[in-house]
Protein backbone atom coordinates (compact mmCIF):
# COMPACT_ATOMS: atom_id res chain seq x y z
CA UNK A 1 0.00 0.00 0.00
CA UNK A 2 2.74 2.46 0.96
CA UNK A 3 5.67 2.20 -1.41
CA UNK A 4 7.87 4.24 -3.69
CA UNK A 5 6.05 5.49 -6.76
CA UNK A 6 7.77 6.65 -9.95
CA UNK A 7 7.17 10.31 -9.13
CA UNK A 8 9.12 9.96 -5.85
CA UNK A 9 12.37 8.93 -7.52
CA UNK A 10 15.11 11.55 -7.45
CA UNK A 11 17.47 9.76 -9.81
CA UNK A 12 20.10 9.51 -7.07
CA UNK A 13 20.26 5.77 -6.51
CA UNK A 14 21.30 5.66 -2.85
CA UNK A 15 18.75 8.33 -1.89
CA UNK A 16 15.99 6.50 -3.73
CA UNK A 17 16.91 3.22 -1.97
CA UNK A 18 16.80 4.97 1.40
CA UNK A 19 13.48 6.62 0.57
CA UNK A 20 12.13 3.18 -0.38
CA UNK A 21 13.13 1.88 3.07
CA UNK A 22 11.30 4.81 4.66
CA UNK A 23 8.18 3.80 2.74
CA UNK A 24 8.64 0.25 4.05
CA UNK A 25 8.63 1.67 7.58
CA UNK A 26 5.44 3.58 6.75
CA UNK A 27 3.93 0.30 5.55
CA UNK A 28 4.99 -1.37 8.81
CA UNK A 29 3.21 1.44 10.69
CA UNK A 30 0.09 0.82 8.63
CA UNK A 31 0.27 -2.91 9.38
CA UNK A 32 0.64 -2.21 13.10
CA UNK A 33 -2.40 0.04 13.00
CA UNK A 34 -4.47 -2.67 11.34
CA UNK A 35 -3.30 -5.46 13.64
CA UNK A 36 -6.40 -6.12 15.75
CA UNK A 37 -4.99 -9.27 17.35
CA UNK A 38 -2.17 -7.53 19.17
CA UNK A 39 -3.75 -6.01 22.27
CA UNK A 40 -0.68 -4.08 23.42
CA UNK A 41 1.14 -2.27 20.64
CA UNK A 42 3.44 -0.26 22.90
CA UNK A 43 6.57 -2.37 22.37
CA UNK A 44 6.11 -2.53 18.60
CA UNK A 45 5.40 1.20 18.42
CA UNK A 46 8.47 1.94 20.53
CA UNK A 47 10.61 -0.25 18.26
CA UNK A 48 9.15 1.34 15.14
CA UNK A 49 9.76 4.90 16.32
CA UNK A 50 13.27 3.97 17.42
CA UNK A 51 14.02 2.48 14.01
CA UNK A 52 12.54 5.53 12.29
CA UNK A 53 14.72 7.85 14.34
CA UNK A 54 17.88 5.83 13.72
CA UNK A 55 17.20 5.26 10.04
CA UNK A 56 16.22 8.84 9.26
CA UNK A 57 19.31 10.15 11.02
CA UNK A 58 21.42 7.95 8.76
CA UNK A 59 19.43 8.90 5.67
CA UNK A 60 19.48 12.61 6.48
CA UNK A 61 23.23 12.45 7.03
CA UNK A 62 23.70 10.81 3.62
CA UNK A 63 21.33 13.23 1.91
CA UNK A 64 22.96 16.27 3.50
CA UNK A 65 26.43 15.01 2.49
CA UNK A 66 25.14 14.63 -1.07
CA UNK A 67 23.70 18.16 -1.05
CA UNK A 68 27.03 19.43 0.23
CA UNK A 69 28.87 17.57 -2.54
CA UNK A 70 26.77 19.29 -5.23
CA UNK A 71 27.04 22.61 -3.40
CA UNK A 72 23.29 22.91 -3.01
CA UNK A 73 22.71 26.47 -1.76
CA UNK A 74 19.69 25.69 0.44
CA UNK A 75 21.21 22.89 2.49
CA UNK A 76 20.75 24.78 5.78
CA UNK A 77 17.00 25.20 5.28
CA UNK A 78 16.70 21.60 4.16
CA UNK A 79 18.60 20.39 7.21
CA UNK A 80 16.28 22.35 9.50
CA UNK A 81 13.37 20.34 8.14
CA UNK A 82 15.25 17.14 8.86
CA UNK A 83 15.85 18.19 12.48
CA UNK A 84 12.15 19.12 12.83
CA UNK A 85 11.18 15.65 11.62
CA UNK A 86 13.48 14.04 14.20
CA UNK A 87 12.07 16.28 16.93
CA UNK A 88 8.52 15.36 16.01
CA UNK A 89 9.33 11.65 16.34
CA UNK A 90 10.81 12.29 19.78
CA UNK A 91 7.56 13.96 20.90
CA UNK A 92 5.55 10.74 20.86
CA UNK A 93 4.66 10.04 24.51
CA UNK A 94 4.37 6.29 24.70
CA UNK A 95 4.29 6.12 28.50
CA UNK A 96 0.84 7.70 28.63
CA UNK A 97 -0.72 5.10 26.31
CA UNK A 98 0.79 1.95 27.78
CA UNK A 99 -2.45 0.41 29.01
CA UNK A 100 -5.01 1.75 26.56
CA UNK A 101 -5.57 -0.08 23.24
CA UNK A 102 -7.61 2.77 21.75
CA UNK A 103 -4.99 5.36 22.64
CA UNK A 104 -2.29 3.11 21.22
CA UNK A 105 -4.20 2.92 17.94
CA UNK A 106 -4.65 6.69 17.97
CA UNK A 107 -0.90 7.10 18.44
CA UNK A 108 -0.15 4.69 15.59
CA UNK A 109 -2.68 6.51 13.36
CA UNK A 110 -1.11 9.84 14.28
CA UNK A 111 2.35 8.46 13.46
CA UNK A 112 1.12 7.04 10.15
CA UNK A 113 -0.53 10.31 9.12
CA UNK A 114 2.57 12.26 10.07
CA UNK A 115 4.92 9.93 8.18
CA UNK A 116 2.84 9.80 5.02
CA UNK A 117 2.27 13.53 4.85
CA UNK A 118 5.82 14.49 5.75
CA UNK A 119 7.58 11.95 3.55
CA UNK A 120 5.57 12.58 0.40
CA UNK A 121 5.58 16.36 0.81
CA UNK A 122 9.27 16.44 1.68
CA UNK A 123 10.30 14.31 -1.29
CA UNK A 124 8.03 16.06 -3.78
CA UNK A 125 8.45 19.66 -2.62
CA UNK A 126 11.87 19.80 -0.94
CA UNK A 127 14.07 16.95 -2.14
CA UNK A 128 13.16 17.57 -5.77
CA UNK A 129 14.56 21.10 -5.45
CA UNK A 130 18.14 19.88 -5.14
CA UNK A 131 17.53 17.55 -8.09
CA UNK A 132 16.24 20.48 -10.17
CA UNK A 133 19.40 22.42 -9.31
CA UNK A 134 21.60 19.44 -10.18
CA UNK A 135 19.56 17.36 -12.66
CA UNK A 136 22.15 14.80 -13.69
CA UNK A 137 21.21 11.30 -12.66
CA UNK A 138 23.76 9.83 -10.25
CA UNK A 139 24.40 6.23 -9.48
CA UNK A 140 26.35 6.90 -6.25
Amino acid sequence: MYKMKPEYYTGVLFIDKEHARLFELVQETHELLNNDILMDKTDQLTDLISELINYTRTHFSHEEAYMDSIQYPHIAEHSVQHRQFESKLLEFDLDSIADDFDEQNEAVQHLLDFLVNWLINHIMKVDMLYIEKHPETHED
Side-chain angles (χ1 to χ4, degrees):
M1 179 175 210
Y2 296 102
K3 61 183 180 178
M4 284 284 284
K5 295 181 180 178
E7 61 266 28
Y8 303 152
Y9 282 87
T10 65
V12 181
L13 186 59
F14 75 93
I15 290 176
D16 291 334
K17 284 182 178 179
E18 290 176 359
H19 284 167
R21 177 62 185 137
L22 290 171
F23 276 102
E24 290 172 1
L25 291 169
V26 172
Q27 180 61 32
E28 289 177 29
T29 306
H30 173 75
E31 291 167 4
L32 180 59
L33 177 64
N34 291 296
N35 183 335
D36 293 330
I37 297 170
L38 187 62
M39 296 310 292
D40 185 353
K41 298 180 179 183
T42 309
D43 289 342
Q44 287 77 5
L45 185 55
T46 300
D47 292 345
L48 190 54
I49 290 173
S50 178
E51 185 171 357
L52 279 161
I53 290 168
N54 291 331
Y55 193 79
T56 55
R57 284 182 177 157
T58 299
H59 167 63
F60 293 158
S61 173
H62 293 162
E63 191 174 76
E64 289 166 15
Y66 173 75
M67 287 186 288
D68 188 48
S69 77
I70 63 168
Q71 299 177 340
Y72 180 61
H74 305 288
I75 189 171
E77 296 94 330
H78 196 116
S79 297
V80 166
Q81 290 190 20
H82 288 168
R83 301 301 82 75
Q84 289 170 339
F85 178 86
E86 293 170 2
S87 293
K88 185 69 175 174
L89 287 177
L90 292 169
E91 288 177 11
F92 281 87
D93 179 14
L94 302 179
D95 293 334
S96 67
I97 63 168
D99 297 324
D100 190 318
F101 180 78
D102 291 333
E103 285 188 28
Q104 290 173 14
N105 274 339
E106 283 180 32
V108 177
Q109 181 67 61
H110 180 68
L111 177 62
L112 180 62
D113 293 343
F114 168 68
L115 292 173
V116 169
N117 291 328
W118 194 91
L119 186 58
I120 292 170
N121 283 320
H122 187 77
I123 290 172
M124 297 298 294
K125 295 178 181 174
V126 181
D127 286 351
M128 291 304 174
L129 292 175
Y130 66 75
I131 299 307
E132 290 171 10
K133 301 290 184 201
H134 201 268
E136 302 87 45
T137 301
H138 296 275
E139 297 297 322
D140 297 315

